[in-house]
Amino acid sequence: MSIAIPKIPDSAPFSESQRNWLNGYIAALQGSTSGFPVPADTQKERVVVMYASQSGNSEALAEEFGSRLAESGFQAPVICAEDYQSIDLTKEKNLLMISSTWGEGDPPDNAVDFWGYLTTDEAPKLESLRFSVLGLGDSNYIDFCGMGKALDKRFEELGGSRLAPRGDCDTDYEETAAAWFDAALSVLGTSSPQNETKAIQAPVGFSKKNPFPAKLKANLKLNEASSNRDTRHFEICLAGSGLTYEVGDVLAVCPENDPALVEEILHLLKLEANEEQRSSLINDCDICAVSAKLFESWKSYCSGGINLSEEEVNTYISEKQLVDLATDFPATFESVDVFISLLRKLGPRLYSISSSPKAHPDEVHLTVARVEYEAFGRTRKGVCSTYLADRLNESDSLKVYLQHVKHFKLPTDTTVPVLMVGPGTGVAPFRAFLEERAATGSEGPNWLFFGNPHEKTDWLYKDQFRQMERDGVLTHYHRAWSRDGEEKVYVQDHIRQNGAELWEWIGNQRAHFYVCGDAKRMAKDVDSALQELIANFGGMNDEQAAEYIAKMKKDKRYQRDVY
């Protein structure tokens, strides 16, 4: 008697390769219990692909590599680090770990619990595990790929053996990531030439490899003229691009360097550049940041030498820019091309989208603080913010692409209350959230906490949010003006003052809690205030409140977009 083996229907929302793998896996399970032979391609090893991601790059890479492993016949579950309890690492044989770094070598939000689990005294022994770690980072920071390095070291300390050497990716990560994956594949073994990869496959359409030439529609200053801040509202046209986004996603802008800064650096280095070289320095090269690699390379071209201690070098890198390096330590290059060869690629800048596509079809809006300040006797300007604010006119083109973010989304249940904390430009995604909630007729109440220095000059989107109050979209709207009184008042102070009602929303109505903005101070202070109110009004001790917050994060009820 034959037994029918169930199959995934063609209409199911999977690619052909995913459907083939699932059918093989189901057949393998059926074979293990009913005597059927296991298909040959399902006999390959299981390889867990785990990611820890803040902005979405690690997640995208994990999904890409997991898909390729599945096409080769491997069992390749892709899981987020926050779901680490869904597997037993002591019983796994192979792990590919992809992690970004946050803060000063810290784990991303969705990997905090996993890192805590690995670093406790009760951490599991992993003698049976082969692992390889890919770290994503930014070499402008001293703790470059710090989390990737820490995970690599910890897996080894727990008894694991390296499947392939660790990969350390800079902001332009595609080639390094592809090489790391190739190294892992060569050890795992793959017989299909189609799986050999020399670069990350770019998605069809406009993407990082092929940005869209969008038109700038509007550049509006949101602060009053007397404010010492300059926050801009940009409207960008996506018509004809085929690009779509959801609220919570980010827009990547490919900036151009200030031509005046290019000329200043060339003058300091006594270099004459042709048109092609100038274009490269404006469009392709990072001419601001001083990375550890650039500083080390600079010594070879600096006749006077550089005598700084390691601590002094680290301080210099964190505070100074390339124009300072060229001034403080004059260097001689035989050509502009040699100088260019030392520079990193100019990376895109990611901005939280501040519009709903339902409210603004074929447009994307950004809320950007224009950066300009004085330091070390010189005016400093933000690369992308001044490119957008000062050097683009309406109808000019700028190169952009979308990056989808899964960890910062509105609840699918439109009746759920939403709490939003977004001081300064952190209000950007919450303007989008509120526009979306209005456009979809969401029944759930909305509460926004906003803060800035002065009420008269720094109330961003005042008229729009006040109208949302009148329309009943914005149910509660608390504003913290930190410089208007004798005492500084911040968003976390308003959270503490409204603890009882906030707990009613969070504890009884199952509200979703969102935070966007500064990671170093604001986000930490808000997190502390949240834990305090949960403990005080939820009748919990500190440990129970911390567990409650961890459960909120796991249930996607506490989401952060901090930077």
Side-chain angles (χ1 to χ4, degrees), residues 68-245:
R68 294 190 187 181
L69 285 165
E71 289 171 2
S72 288
F74 291 95
Q75 296 181 42
V78 178
I79 68 170
C80 179
E82 67 183 355
D83 298 321
Y84 72 93
Q85 292 177 320
S86 66
I87 62 172
D88 184 351
L89 281 179
T90 64
K91 296 179 181 178
E92 297 292 344
K93 300 298 182 185
N94 302 292
L95 172 68
L96 298 184
M97 181 80 214
I98 306 172
S99 177
S100 60
T101 296
W102 194 241
E104 299 177 359
D106 299 322
D109 280 354
N110 58 21
V112 171
D113 292 342
F114 178 58
W115 181 240
Y117 164 73
L118 290 179
T119 52
T120 61
D121 293 337
E122 294 77 28
K125 297 299 181 183
L126 304 176
E127 288 94 345
S128 300
L129 183 70
R130 295 192 302 174
F131 70 90
S132 186
V133 176
L134 180 70
L136 271 64
D138 185 336
S139 60
N140 287 334
Y141 294 92
I142 295 172
D143 292 301
F144 173 55
C145 289
M147 198 62 225
K149 294 172 182 176
L151 284 164
D152 180 74
K153 179 181 178 182
R154 187 55 179 161
F155 286 140
E156 182 181 43
E157 290 173 346
L158 294 173
S161 59
R162 286 183 183 82
L163 176 71
R166 187 188 73 242
D168 295 334
C169 295
D170 209 338
T171 52
D172 192 50
Y173 57 81
E174 285 85 351
E175 290 186 7
T176 302
W180 170 81
F181 185 62
D182 281 343
L185 271 183
S186 67
V187 176
L188 290 167
T190 175
S191 58
S192 175
Q194 70 180 13
N195 293 298
E196 294 179 5
T197 175
K198 298 304 178 186
I200 303 301
Q201 295 175 354
V204 177
F206 294 105
S207 63
K208 184 176 183 180
K209 291 295 185 182
N210 181 33
F212 175 65
K215 297 290 185 181
L216 181 65
K217 288 189 62 177
N219 170 5
L220 306 173
K221 187 173 181 180
L222 295 174
N223 306 85
E224 296 297 323
S226 57
S227 175
N228 60 6
R229 295 197 172 195
D230 186 353
T231 309
R232 301 295 179 100
H233 171 81
F234 297 106
E235 297 178 3
I236 299 165
C237 181
L238 297 179
S241 69
L243 295 171
T244 60
Y245 68 92

Side-chain angles (χ1 to χ4, degrees), residues 271-390:
L271 291 171
E272 291 290 337
N274 59 35
E275 195 66 28
E276 182 179 351
Q277 291 165 334
R278 278 188 169 82
S279 176
S280 181
L281 287 167
I282 290 172
N283 296 288
D284 305 325
C285 302
D286 185 343
I287 61 168
C288 286
V290 179
S291 67
K293 183 178 179 181
L294 174 61
F295 191 90
E296 187 62 30
S297 299
W298 197 268
K299 295 178 182 178
S300 302
Y301 301 91
C302 182
S303 58
I306 302 178
N307 298 312
L308 298 178
S309 66
E310 181 179 354
E311 182 178 351
E312 289 172 329
V313 169
N314 290 339
T315 300
Y316 193 96
I317 289 171
S318 65
E319 296 179 346
K320 298 294 187 75
Q321 295 183 347
L322 176 56
V323 68
D324 301 305
L325 191 63
T327 303
D328 298 339
F329 305 104
T332 302
F333 298 96
E334 60 187 65
S335 69
V336 176
D337 289 336
V338 172
F339 167 60
I340 288 176
S341 70
L342 301 183
L343 304 179
R344 294 194 325 164
K345 290 184 179 180
L346 179 60
R349 298 325 194 242
L350 304 181
Y351 294 105
S352 299
I353 293 174
S354 56
S355 57
S356 162
K358 294 182 178 64
H360 308 280
D362 291 329
E363 290 183 10
V364 61
H365 297 178
L366 302 179
T367 308
V368 179
R370 182 186 178 279
V371 177
E372 182 174 348
Y373 60 97
E374 298 292 322
F376 304 104
R378 185 185 299 273
T379 300
R380 317 285 165 150
K381 296 181 178 181
V383 175
C384 195
S385 65
T386 56
Y387 164 65
L388 289 169
D390 302 347

Side-chain angles (χ1 to χ4, degrees), residues 399-420:
K399 296 177 181 178
V400 302
Y401 63 93
L402 289 165
Q403 186 161 302
H404 299 294
V405 177
K406 292 184 178 180
H407 71 271
F408 200 73
K409 294 299 180 190
L410 281 168
T412 55
D413 183 350
T414 58
T415 66
V416 171
V418 169
L419 294 158
M420 298 160 283

